[in-house]
């Protein structure tokens, strides 16, 4: 009787321990994805915080470029209200496009390019763009590891029991996938 009970307890332990281990591993990986996502949000917020200073500096030189400045401000606002990786990626793409238009305006004002505040802001923005790329990469790597883990057997069973769902990648827009056209003919 005791041997039978011990055998049953041993079999149950052999089955339960891997489930706990898989569950704890998934929790750790999900927290890693969430932490990396927070860092993406941090660097995007830093970028969004730089934009008003940049816009105000440009305003002094280019008052008649109000439409471009408005688009930058609107894109920044969308970035701040985005909640999901998809929404954030879309808002980030709109802000990138708006800042590109702003850079085009800047080319028309050589005195603006020489302004110390503007130059410093553009340097900070450039550094922030590099941070964004790095954090997006780290986030997507964590998502890939997590999504791979929850799709593999036997972890897939544990993931479905405890409702671990695949995470969304931070993707670039279709416009960003196209190669830029460089034309020196003018």
């Amino acid at each position: 009787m005791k041997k039978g009970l011990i055998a049953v307890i041993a079999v149950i332990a052999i089955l339960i321990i891997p489930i706990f281990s898989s569950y704890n591993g998934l929790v750790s990986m999900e927290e890693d994805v969430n932490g990396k996502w927070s860092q993406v949000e941090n660097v995007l917020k830093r970028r969004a915080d730089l934009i008003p200073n940049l816009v105000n500096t440009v305003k002094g030189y280019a008052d008649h470029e109000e439409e471009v400045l408005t688009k930058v401000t609107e894109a920044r606002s969308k970035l701040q209200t985005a909640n999901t990786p998809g929404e954030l990626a879309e808002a980030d793409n709109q802000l990138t496009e708006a800042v590109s238009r702003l850079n085009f305006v800047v080319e028309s004002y050589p005195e603006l390019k020489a302004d110390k505040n503007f130059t410093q802001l553009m340097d900070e923005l450039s550094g922030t763009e590099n941070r964004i790329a790095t954090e997006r990469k780290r986030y997507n790597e964590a998502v890939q590891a997590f999504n791979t883990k929850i799709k593999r057997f036997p972890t897939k069973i544990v993931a479905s029991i405890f409702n671990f769902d695949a995470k969304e990648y931070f993707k670039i827009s279709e416009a960003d996938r196209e190669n830029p056209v460089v034309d020196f003919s003018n």
Side-chain angles (χ1 to χ4, degrees):
M1 179 78 170
K2 279 186 173 183
K3 286 182 181 179
L5 182 61
I6 291 173
V8 170
I9 291 173
V11 168
I12 291 173
I14 289 171
L15 294 174
I16 290 180
I17 290 173
I19 291 173
F20 287 143
S21 177
S22 289
Y23 176 81
N24 290 336
L26 289 173
V27 168
S28 295
M29 291 181 81
E30 187 173 48
E31 284 304 308
D32 186 44
V33 168
N34 292 340
K36 298 259 181 2
W37 176 248
S38 292
Q39 193 55 29
V40 168
E41 289 178 322
N42 285 341
V43 293
L44 288 174
K45 172 142 179 34
R46 174 182 160 77
R47 178 188 192 206
D49 290 346
L50 287 171
I51 298 298
N53 295 328
L54 189 61
V55 167
N56 287 334
T57 303
V58 173
K59 272 184 184 177
Y61 288 91
D63 287 332
H64 63 283
E65 303 289 355
E66 194 63 37
E67 179 184 347
V68 172
L69 300 174
T70 301
K71 292 231 185 254
V72 170
T73 304
E74 288 172 356
R76 177 184 177 265
S77 177
K78 287 181 183 176
L79 185 74
Q80 291 178 313
T81 59
N83 293 319
T84 67
E87 289 174 3
L88 199 59
E90 177 64 29
D92 179 54
N93 291 333
Q94 289 177 6
L95 186 59
T96 298
E97 185 178 318
V99 169
S100 294
R101 285 192 207 128
L102 184 64
N103 286 333
F104 184 74
V105 168
V106 168
E107 293 298 320
S108 303
Y109 298 91
E111 66 277 7
L112 175 58
K113 289 193 292 185
D115 182 86
K116 181 181 173 186
N117 289 336
F118 178 78
T119 303
Q120 184 179 3
L121 286 168
M122 288 305 289
D123 287 345
E124 284 189 44
L125 189 59
S126 177
T128 300
E129 295 296 332
N130 291 334
R131 288 178 185 154
I132 290 169
T134 298
E135 297 306 333
R136 281 174 58 169
K137 179 181 178 284
R138 289 177 181 162
Y139 169 75
N140 281 341
E141 287 171 347
V143 167
Q144 180 184 16
F146 179 79
N147 288 349
T148 300
K149 183 79 170 173
I150 67 169
K151 291 177 183 176
R152 287 188 175 160
F153 184 82
T155 309
K156 182 174 183 158
I157 296 168
V158 175
S160 65
I161 291 170
F162 292 105
N163 295 321
F164 286 98
D165 296 320
K167 301 293 182 184
E168 185 178 348
Y169 287 97
F170 195 121
K171 297 178 184 174
I172 62 171
S173 70
E174 287 301 318
D176 286 341
R177 292 177 195 265
E178 297 174 12
N179 291 330
V181 176
V182 178
D183 184 5
F184 293 113
S185 63
N186 290 340

